[in-house]
Amino acid sequence: MTHSLTLCAQLDRTCISPAGGVLYLLVTITAPPAGDAGGRPPLNLAAVVDRSGSMHGAKLHFTKQALRFLVDQVGHADRLAVVTYDDEVTVPLPSQPVAQKDALKAMLSGIAAGGSTNLSGGLATGMQQIRSHAGPGVVSRVLLMTDGLANVGVTEPETLVGWARAWREKGLGLSTMGVGADFNEDLLVALAEAGGGNFHYIEDPDKIPEMFRRELQGLLEVAVQGLQLRVEVEPGVAVTDVVGYRPQGNPQRVQVVLPDLYGGEAKSVLFRLAVAAPPADGRLGRVVLGYLPATPGGEPSTVSAEVALSVTDDPARLSEPPDEAVMRQVRLSQASTAWDEAVELADRGDLQGAALRLIQAAEDLEAQAAAGDARAAEQAASLRAQAEVITAAPFDATTRKQMRLQGFRSRRGR
């Protein structure tokens, strides 16, 4: 028996005054268990790796080890390409089903370090390698790895992120990996979020193979892709925020592109609604989710849910406490933004303000942590630990990258 994707839309309150007010809408999407509908989909991958001069030595050694791991792990139904770049872009392994694995691994061992960093050229070439093999029932993703700043070709972050967003709309995903202390973590995080993939920070070169392993493990468990979540509200209602996401559209029709879901994974998205004039029937709008099951032969599907509540002036009902499950997610979502807010404060030299912002977010979570919420407890502990690091040591490149990674993971709930 198979299980289908489920969509749940829940407000923090069951009623609202005729005068209106502010509401939180929690949308939870749960993917079916992996493999429920006919096995995993084939992978269509391109590993795009930096071979600039700074990659010489341990970084390139462990990168080639990671590439050989990919060759070993992909199956006969999967496709793999390898693209390398310095100031020029080369394709040592064009996209193909992986056969003759020993010969391919020997060829990859010959990759050598070169010059500058044409990140844009490597990224565009990687997407070209997977584009013609993408489609329904296939998980298509570029794995981009770099240890430096893009300094050749297109270097404007907004342009590169726009590329990733456009590719994502065509079903081409992007995960990013930053190695060492010199890459631009803001760019790699933005690329991963726009591309619907993951961001990995690799502090030590010997961890490169492990990060490739984690990324591949996730790709093998993808159950749902192409998720586009839309909230449509009635006149008198407006969506004023989507916590942790950059939405598209307008306050009456907001759309969010979500990352792929693993088998059995639940994803929560929190919307803030401003209700100026609630409709008499209490119907505020509806939530619509478009998605593509990541199974062979999977067809685009849509599921929706209505959003409604009572309109009353009964003081007893209006004074009822908000739904705790929704408020739990409100606190978690607000805490997730604290990481990036603290980075912004630290960038301006306000280290005390950055630490206080993290401590404040931890305190907001600790009440629900005390009630047995393991995720809240973990988040609170991480926030407090990072606050201590900021106050006890210089705010250096490593600390900044770790905080951006924590913010990314917190927003993703992973």
Side-chain angles (χ1 to χ4, degrees), residues 262-343:
Y262 302 151
E265 181 182 13
K267 174 70 64 181
S268 295
V269 184
L270 188 68
F271 297 83
R272 187 177 184 272
L273 308 180
V275 184
D281 62 2
R283 184 181 181 276
L284 302 182
R286 67 173 186 150
V287 177
V288 182
L289 176 69
Y291 67 97
L292 182 65
T295 55
E299 295 291 335
S301 301
T302 302
V303 62
S304 63
E306 298 296 317
V307 180
L309 78 176
S310 301
V311 180
T312 180
D313 55 9
D314 181 351
R317 291 203 60 194
L318 293 172
S319 63
E320 292 174 355
D323 183 272
E324 180 53 34
V326 177
M327 296 312 297
R328 170 185 178 273
Q329 190 61 42
V330 170
R331 290 187 290 267
L332 284 168
S333 297
Q334 290 174 341
S336 73
T337 66
W339 293 102
D340 292 335
E341 292 171 0
V343 168

Coordinates of all heavy atoms in Angstrom, one line a residue, residues 262-343:
Y262 N 12.6 14.6 1.3 CA 13.0 13.2 1.4 C 11.8 12.4 1.8 O 10.8 12.9 2.3 CB 14.1 13.1 2.5 CG 15.4 13.9 2.2 CD1 16.2 14.4 3.3 CD2 15.8 14.3 0.9 CE1 17.3 15.1 3.1 CE2 16.9 15.0 0.7 CZ 17.7 15.5 1.8 OH 18.8 16.2 1.6
G263 N 12.0 11.1 1.7 CA 10.9 10.2 2.0 C 10.5 10.3 3.5 O 11.4 10.2 4.4
G264 N 9.2 10.5 3.8 CA 8.7 10.6 5.1 C 9.0 12.0 5.8 O 8.6 12.2 6.9
E265 N 9.7 12.9 5.1 CA 10.1 14.2 5.7 C 8.9 15.1 5.8 O 8.0 15.2 4.9 CB 11.2 14.9 4.9 CG 11.6 16.2 5.5 CD 12.7 16.9 4.6 OE1 12.9 16.4 3.5 OE2 13.3 17.9 5.1
A266 N 8.8 15.9 6.9 CA 7.7 16.9 7.0 C 8.4 18.3 6.9 O 9.4 18.5 7.6 CB 7.0 16.7 8.3
K267 N 7.8 19.1 6.1 CA 8.3 20.5 6.0 C 7.2 21.5 6.4 O 6.1 21.4 6.0 CB 8.6 20.8 4.5 CG 9.0 22.2 4.2 CD 10.4 22.6 4.8 CE 11.5 21.7 4.2 NZ 12.8 22.1 4.8
S268 N 7.6 22.4 7.3 CA 6.6 23.4 7.8 C 7.0 24.8 7.2 O 8.2 25.2 7.2 CB 6.6 23.5 9.3 OG 6.1 22.3 9.8
V269 N 6.0 25.6 6.8 CA 6.2 26.9 6.3 C 5.2 27.8 7.0 O 4.0 27.5 7.1 CB 6.0 27.0 4.8 CG1 6.3 28.4 4.3 CG2 6.8 26.0 4.0
L270 N 5.7 28.9 7.6 CA 4.9 29.8 8.4 C 4.6 31.1 7.7 O 5.6 31.8 7.3 CB 5.7 30.1 9.7 CG 4.9 30.8 10.8 CD1 3.8 29.9 11.4 CD2 5.8 31.2 11.9
F271 N 3.3 31.4 7.6 CA 2.9 32.7 7.0 C 2.3 33.6 8.0 O 1.6 33.1 8.9 CB 1.8 32.4 5.9 CG 2.3 31.6 4.7 CD1 2.4 30.2 4.8 CD2 2.7 32.2 3.6 CE1 2.8 29.4 3.8 CE2 3.2 31.4 2.5 CZ 3.2 30.0 2.6
R272 N 2.5 34.9 7.9 CA 1.9 35.8 8.8 C 0.8 36.6 8.0 O 1.1 37.1 6.9 CB 2.9 36.8 9.3 CG 2.4 37.8 10.4 CD 3.6 38.7 10.9 NE 3.2 39.6 11.9 CZ 2.7 40.8 11.8 NH1 2.5 41.2 10.5 NH2 2.3 41.5 12.8
L273 N -0.4 36.6 8.5 CA -1.5 37.2 7.8 C -2.0 38.4 8.6 O -2.1 38.4 9.8 CB -2.7 36.2 7.7 CG -2.4 34.8 7.1 CD1 -3.7 34.0 7.1 CD2 -1.8 35.0 5.7
A274 N -2.2 39.5 7.9 CA -2.9 40.7 8.5 C -4.3 40.7 8.0 O -4.5 40.8 6.8 CB -2.1 41.9 8.1
V275 N -5.2 40.7 8.9 CA -6.7 40.6 8.6 C -7.3 42.0 8.9 O -7.5 42.3 10.1 CB -7.4 39.5 9.3 CG1 -8.8 39.4 8.8 CG2 -6.7 38.2 9.0
A276 N -7.6 42.8 7.9 CA -8.2 44.1 8.2 C -9.7 44.0 8.3 O -10.3 44.7 9.1 CB -7.8 45.1 7.1
A277 N -10.3 43.2 7.5 CA -11.7 43.0 7.4 C -12.0 41.6 7.1 O -12.2 41.2 6.0 CB -12.3 43.9 6.4
P278 N -12.2 40.7 8.2 CA -12.5 39.3 7.9 C -13.8 39.1 7.2 O -14.8 39.7 7.6 CB -12.4 38.7 9.3 CG -12.7 39.8 10.2 CD -12.1 41.0 9.6
P279 N -13.9 38.3 6.2 CA -15.1 38.0 5.5 C -16.1 37.4 6.6 O -15.7 36.7 7.5 CB -14.8 36.9 4.5 CG -13.3 37.1 4.2 CD -12.8 37.6 5.5
A280 N -17.4 37.7 6.4 CA -18.4 37.3 7.4 C -18.5 35.8 7.5 O -18.7 35.3 8.6 CB -19.8 37.8 6.9
D281 N -18.2 35.0 6.4 CA -18.2 33.6 6.5 C -16.9 33.0 7.1 O -16.8 31.8 7.3 CB -18.5 32.9 5.2 CG -17.5 33.2 4.1 OD1 -16.5 33.9 4.5 OD2 -17.6 32.8 3.0
G282 N -15.9 33.8 7.4 CA -14.7 33.4 8.0 C -13.7 32.7 7.1 O -12.7 32.3 7.5
R283 N -14.1 32.7 5.8 CA -13.1 32.1 4.8 C -12.0 33.1 4.4 O -12.3 34.1 3.8 CB -13.9 31.6 3.6 CG -13.0 30.9 2.6 CD -13.8 30.4 1.3 NE -13.0 29.7 0.4 CZ -12.1 30.3 -0.5 NH1 -12.1 31.6 -0.6 NH2 -11.4 29.5 -1.3
L284 N -10.8 32.8 4.8 CA -9.7 33.7 4.6 C -9.0 33.4 3.2 O -8.4 34.3 2.7 CB -8.7 33.6 5.7 CG -9.2 33.8 7.1 CD1 -8.0 33.7 8.1 CD2 -9.8 35.2 7.2
G285 N -9.0 32.2 2.7 CA -8.4 31.9 1.5 C -8.1 30.4 1.4 O -8.8 29.6 2.0
R286 N -7.1 30.1 0.6 CA -6.7 28.7 0.4 C -5.3 28.5 0.2 O -4.6 29.5 -0.3 CB -7.5 28.0 -0.7 CG -7.2 28.5 -2.1 CD -8.0 27.7 -3.1 NE -7.6 28.0 -4.5 CZ -7.6 27.2 -5.5 NH1 -8.0 25.9 -5.3 NH2 -7.2 27.6 -6.7
V287 N -4.8 27.3 0.4 CA -3.4 27.0 0.2 C -3.3 25.9 -1.0 O -4.1 25.0 -0.9 CB -2.7 26.4 1.4 CG1 -1.3 25.9 1.2 CG2 -2.8 27.4 2.6
V288 N -2.5 26.1 -1.9 CA -2.4 25.2 -3.1 C -0.9 24.8 -3.2 O 0.0 25.6 -3.2 CB -2.8 25.9 -4.4 CG1 -2.7 24.9 -5.5 CG2 -4.2 26.4 -4.2
L289 N -0.7 23.5 -3.3 CA 0.7 23.0 -3.5 C 0.8 22.2 -4.8 O 0.0 21.2 -5.0 CB 1.0 22.1 -2.3 CG 2.4 21.4 -2.4 CD1 3.5 22.4 -2.3 CD2 2.5 20.3 -1.4
G290 N 1.6 22.6 -5.6 CA 2.0 21.8 -6.8 C 3.3 21.1 -6.6 O 4.2 21.6 -6.0
Y291 N 3.3 19.8 -7.1 CA 4.5 19.0 -6.8 C 4.6 17.9 -7.9 O 3.7 17.6 -8.6 CB 4.5 18.4 -5.4 CG 3.4 17.4 -5.2 CD1 3.6 16.0 -5.3 CD2 2.1 17.8 -4.9 CE1 2.6 15.1 -5.1 CE2 1.1 16.9 -4.7 CZ 1.4 15.5 -4.8 OH 0.3 14.6 -4.6
L292 N 5.8 17.3 -7.9 CA 6.0 16.2 -8.8 C 6.6 15.0 -8.0 O 7.7 15.1 -7.4 CB 7.1 16.6 -9.8 CG 7.4 15.5 -10.9 CD1 6.2 15.2 -11.8 CD2 8.6 16.0 -11.8
P293 N 5.9 13.9 -7.9 CA 6.4 12.7 -7.2 C 7.7 12.3 -7.9 O 7.8 12.2 -9.1 CB 5.3 11.7 -7.4 CG 4.1 12.4 -7.7 CD 4.5 13.6 -8.4
A294 N 8.7 12.0 -7.1 CA 10.0 11.6 -7.6 C 10.0 10.1 -7.8 O 10.8 9.4 -7.1 CB 11.1 12.1 -6.7
T295 N 9.2 9.6 -8.6 CA 9.1 8.2 -8.9 C 9.0 8.0 -10.4 O 8.5 8.9 -11.2 CB 7.8 7.6 -8.3 OG1 6.7 8.3 -8.7 CG2 7.9 7.7 -6.8
P296 N 9.5 6.9 -10.9 CA 9.4 6.6 -12.3 C 7.9 6.7 -12.8 O 7.0 6.1 -12.2 CB 9.9 5.2 -12.5 CG 10.8 5.0 -11.3 CD 10.2 5.8 -10.2
G297 N 7.7 7.6 -13.8 CA 6.3 7.8 -14.3 C 5.5 8.7 -13.5 O 4.3 8.9 -13.8
G298 N 6.1 9.4 -12.5 CA 5.3 10.3 -11.7 C 4.8 11.5 -12.5 O 5.5 12.0 -13.3
E299 N 3.6 11.9 -12.2 CA 3.0 13.0 -13.0 C 2.8 14.2 -12.1 O 2.6 14.1 -10.8 CB 1.6 12.6 -13.5 CG 1.6 11.5 -14.5 CD 2.3 11.9 -15.8 OE1 2.2 13.1 -16.1 OE2 2.8 11.1 -16.6
P300 N 2.9 15.4 -12.6 CA 2.6 16.6 -11.8 C 1.3 16.6 -11.1 O 0.3 16.2 -11.7 CB 2.7 17.8 -12.8 CG 3.5 17.2 -14.0 CD 3.2 15.8 -14.0
S301 N 1.2 16.9 -9.8 CA 0.0 16.8 -9.0 C -0.2 18.1 -8.3 O 0.7 18.9 -8.1 CB 0.1 15.6 -8.1 OG 0.3 14.4 -8.8
T302 N -1.4 18.3 -7.8 CA -1.8 19.5 -7.0 C -2.7 19.0 -5.8 O -3.5 18.1 -6.0 CB -2.6 20.5 -7.8 OG1 -1.8 20.9 -8.9 CG2 -2.9 21.7 -7.0
V303 N -2.5 19.6 -4.7 CA -3.3 19.4 -3.5 C -3.6 20.7 -2.9 O -2.8 21.6 -2.9 CB -2.6 18.4 -2.5 CG1 -1.3 19.0 -2.0 CG2 -3.6 18.0 -1.4
S304 N -4.8 20.9 -2.3 CA -5.1 22.2 -1.7 C -5.8 22.0 -0.4 O -6.3 20.9 -0.1 CB -6.0 23.0 -2.7 OG -7.2 22.3 -2.9
A305 N -5.9 23.1 0.3 CA -6.6 23.1 1.6 C -7.2 24.5 1.8 O -6.6 25.5 1.5 CB -5.7 22.8 2.8
E306 N -8.4 24.6 2.4 CA -9.1 25.8 2.7 C -8.6 26.4 4.0 O -8.2 25.6 4.9 CB -10.6 25.6 2.8 CG -11.2 25.2 1.4 CD -11.0 26.2 0.3 OE1 -11.2 27.4 0.6 OE2 -10.7 25.8 -0.8
V307 N -8.6 27.7 4.1 CA -8.2 28.4 5.4 C -9.4 29.2 5.9 O -9.8 30.1 5.2 CB -7.0 29.3 5.1 CG1 -6.6 30.0 6.5 CG2 -5.8 28.5 4.6
A308 N -9.9 28.8 7.0 CA -11.1 29.5 7.5 C -11.1 29.5 9.0 O -10.5 28.6 9.7 CB -12.4 28.8 7.0
L309 N -11.9 30.4 9.6 CA -12.1 30.4 11.1 C -13.4 31.1 11.4 O -14.0 31.7 10.5 CB -10.9 31.1 11.8 CG -10.8 32.6 11.8 CD1 -9.6 33.0 12.6 CD2 -10.7 33.2 10.4
S310 N -13.8 31.2 12.6 CA -15.0 31.9 13.0 C -14.7 33.4 13.2 O -13.7 33.8 13.6 CB -15.6 31.3 14.3 OG -15.8 29.9 14.1
V311 N -15.8 34.2 12.9 CA -15.7 35.6 13.2 C -16.7 35.8 14.3 O -17.9 35.5 14.2 CB -16.1 36.4 11.9 CG1 -16.0 37.9 12.3 CG2 -15.2 36.1 10.8
T312 N -16.2 36.4 15.4 CA -17.0 36.5 16.6 C -16.6 37.7 17.5 O -15.4 38.1 17.4 CB -17.0 35.2 17.5 OG1 -17.8 35.4 18.6 CG2 -15.6 34.9 18.0
D313 N -17.5 38.3 18.2 CA -17.1 39.3 19.2 C -17.2 38.8 20.6 O -17.3 39.6 21.6 CB -17.9 40.6 19.0 CG -19.4 40.3 19.1 OD1 -19.8 39.2 19.4 OD2 -20.2 41.2 18.8
D314 N -17.3 37.5 20.8 CA -17.4 36.8 22.1 C -16.1 36.9 22.8 O -15.1 36.3 22.4 CB -17.8 35.4 21.9 CG -18.0 34.6 23.3 OD1 -17.6 35.2 24.3 OD2 -18.4 33.5 23.3
P315 N -16.0 37.7 23.9 CA -14.7 37.9 24.6 C -14.1 36.6 25.1 O -12.9 36.4 25.1 CB -15.1 38.8 25.8 CG -16.4 39.5 25.4 CD -17.1 38.5 24.6
A316 N -15.0 35.7 25.5 CA -14.4 34.4 26.0 C -13.7 33.6 24.9 O -12.6 33.1 25.2 CB -15.6 33.5 26.6
R317 N -14.3 33.6 23.8 CA -13.6 32.9 22.7 C -12.4 33.6 22.2 O -11.4 33.0 21.9 CB -14.6 32.7 21.5 CG -15.7 31.7 21.8 CD -16.3 31.2 20.5 NE -15.3 30.4 19.8 CZ -15.4 30.1 18.5 NH1 -16.5 30.4 17.8 NH2 -14.4 29.5 17.9
L318 N -12.5 34.9 22.1 CA -11.3 35.7 21.6 C -10.1 35.6 22.6 O -9.0 35.9 22.2 CB -11.7 37.1 21.4 CG -12.7 37.4 20.2 CD1 -13.2 38.8 20.2 CD2 -12.1 37.0 18.9
S319 N -10.4 35.3 23.8 CA -9.3 35.3 24.8 C -8.7 33.9 25.0 O -7.8 33.7 25.8 CB -9.8 35.7 26.2 OG -10.8 34.9 26.7
E320 N -9.2 32.9 24.2 CA -8.6 31.6 24.2 C -7.1 31.6 23.8 O -6.8 32.4 22.9 CB -9.4 30.6 23.3 CG -10.8 30.4 23.8 CD -11.6 29.6 22.7 OE1 -11.1 29.3 21.6 OE2 -12.8 29.2 23.0
P321 N -6.3 30.8 24.4 CA -4.9 30.8 24.1 C -4.6 30.3 22.6 O -5.4 29.5 22.1 CB -4.2 29.9 25.1 CG -5.3 29.0 25.5 CD -6.6 29.8 25.5
P322 N -3.6 30.8 22.0 CA -3.3 30.3 20.6 C -2.9 28.9 20.6 O -2.5 28.3 21.6 CB -2.2 31.2 20.1 CG -1.5 31.7 21.4 CD -2.6 31.8 22.4
D323 N -3.0 28.3 19.4 CA -2.7 26.8 19.3 C -1.2 26.7 19.5 O -0.3 27.3 18.9 CB -3.0 26.4 17.8 CG -2.7 24.9 17.6 OD1 -1.6 24.6 17.3 OD2 -3.6 24.1 17.8
E324 N -0.8 25.8 20.4 CA 0.5 25.6 20.9 C 1.4 25.0 19.7 O 2.6 25.4 19.6 CB 0.6 24.7 22.1 CG 2.1 24.5 22.6 CD 2.8 25.8 22.8 OE1 2.2 26.8 23.2 OE2 4.1 25.8 22.6
A325 N 0.9 24.1 18.9 CA 1.7 23.6 17.8 C 2.1 24.7 16.8 O 3.3 24.7 16.3 CB 0.9 22.5 17.1
V326 N 1.2 25.6 16.5 CA 1.5 26.7 15.6 C 2.5 27.6 16.3 O 3.5 28.1 15.7 CB 0.3 27.5 15.2 CG1 0.7 28.7 14.3 CG2 -0.7 26.6 14.5
M327 N 2.3 28.0 17.6 CA 3.2 28.9 18.3 C 4.6 28.3 18.5 O 5.6 29.0 18.5 CB 2.6 29.3 19.6 CG 1.3 30.1 19.5 SD 1.4 31.4 18.3 CE 2.6 32.5 19.1
R328 N 4.7 27.0 18.6 CA 6.0 26.3 18.6 C 6.7 26.6 17.4 O 7.9 26.9 17.4 CB 5.8 24.8 18.8 CG 7.1 24.0 18.7 CD 6.8 22.5 18.7 NE 8.0 21.7 18.5 CZ 8.4 21.3 17.3 NH1 7.8 21.7 16.2 NH2 9.5 20.6 17.3
Q329 N 6.1 26.5 16.2 CA 6.7 26.7 15.0 C 7.1 28.2 14.8 O 8.1 28.6 14.2 CB 5.9 26.3 13.8 CG 6.6 26.3 12.4 CD 7.8 25.4 12.4 OE1 7.8 24.2 13.0 NE2 8.9 25.8 11.9
V330 N 6.2 29.1 15.3 CA 6.5 30.5 15.3 C 7.9 30.8 16.0 O 8.8 31.5 15.5 CB 5.4 31.3 16.0 CG1 5.8 32.8 16.2 CG2 4.1 31.3 15.1
R331 N 8.0 30.2 17.2 CA 9.3 30.4 18.0 C 10.5 29.8 17.3 O 11.5 30.4 17.2 CB 9.1 29.8 19.4 CG 8.2 30.6 20.3 CD 8.2 30.1 21.7 NE 7.6 28.8 21.8 CZ 6.3 28.6 22.1 NH1 5.5 29.6 22.3 NH2 5.8 27.3 22.3
L332 N 10.3 28.6 16.7 CA 11.4 28.0 16.0 C 11.8 28.8 14.7 O 13.0 29.0 14.4 CB 11.0 26.6 15.5 CG 11.1 25.5 16.6 CD1 10.4 24.2 16.1 CD2 12.5 25.2 17.1
S333 N 10.8 29.3 14.0 CA 11.1 30.1 12.8 C 11.7 31.4 13.2 O 12.6 31.8 12.5 CB 9.7 30.3 12.1 OG 9.2 29.1 11.6
Q334 N 11.2 32.0 14.2 CA 11.8 33.3 14.6 C 13.3 33.1 15.1 O 14.2 33.9 14.8 CB 11.0 34.0 15.7 CG 9.7 34.5 15.2 CD 8.8 35.0 16.3 OE1 9.0 34.8 17.4 NE2 7.8 35.8 15.9
A335 N 13.5 32.0 15.7 CA 14.9 31.7 16.2 C 15.8 31.5 15.0 O 17.0 31.8 15.0 CB 14.9 30.5 17.1
S336 N 15.3 30.9 13.9 CA 16.1 30.6 12.7 C 16.6 31.9 12.1 O 17.7 31.9 11.5 CB 15.3 29.8 11.7 OG 14.3 30.5 11.1
T337 N 15.9 32.9 12.2 CA 16.3 34.2 11.6 C 17.4 34.9 12.5 O 18.1 35.8 12.0 CB 15.1 35.2 11.4 OG1 14.6 35.6 12.7 CG2 14.0 34.6 10.6
A338 N 17.5 34.4 13.8 CA 18.5 35.1 14.7 C 19.9 34.8 14.2 O 20.8 35.7 14.4 CB 18.3 34.5 16.1
W339 N 20.2 33.7 13.5 CA 21.5 33.4 13.1 C 22.0 34.5 12.1 O 23.1 35.1 12.2 CB 21.6 32.1 12.4 CG 21.4 30.9 13.4 CD1 20.2 30.2 13.5 CD2 22.3 30.4 14.3 NE1 20.4 29.2 14.5 CE2 21.7 29.3 15.0 CE3 23.6 30.7 14.6 CZ2 22.3 28.6 16.0 CZ3 24.3 30.0 15.6 CH2 23.6 28.9 16.3
D340 N 21.2 34.8 11.1 CA 21.6 35.8 10.1 C 21.6 37.2 10.6 O 22.4 38.0 10.3 CB 20.7 35.7 8.9 CG 20.9 34.3 8.1 OD1 22.0 33.8 8.2 OD2 19.9 33.9 7.4
E341 N 20.6 37.5 11.5 CA 20.6 38.8 12.2 C 21.8 39.0 13.0 O 22.4 40.1 13.0 CB 19.3 39.0 13.0 CG 18.0 39.0 12.2 CD 16.8 38.9 13.0 OE1 16.9 38.8 14.3 OE2 15.7 39.0 12.5
A342 N 22.3 38.0 13.7 CA 23.5 38.1 14.5 C 24.7 38.3 13.6 O 25.6 39.1 13.9 CB 23.7 36.9 15.4
V343 N 24.8 37.6 12.5 CA 25.9 37.8 11.5 C 25.9 39.3 11.1 O 27.0 39.9 11.0 CB 25.8 36.9 10.3 CG1 26.7 37.3 9.2 CG2 26.0 35.5 10.7

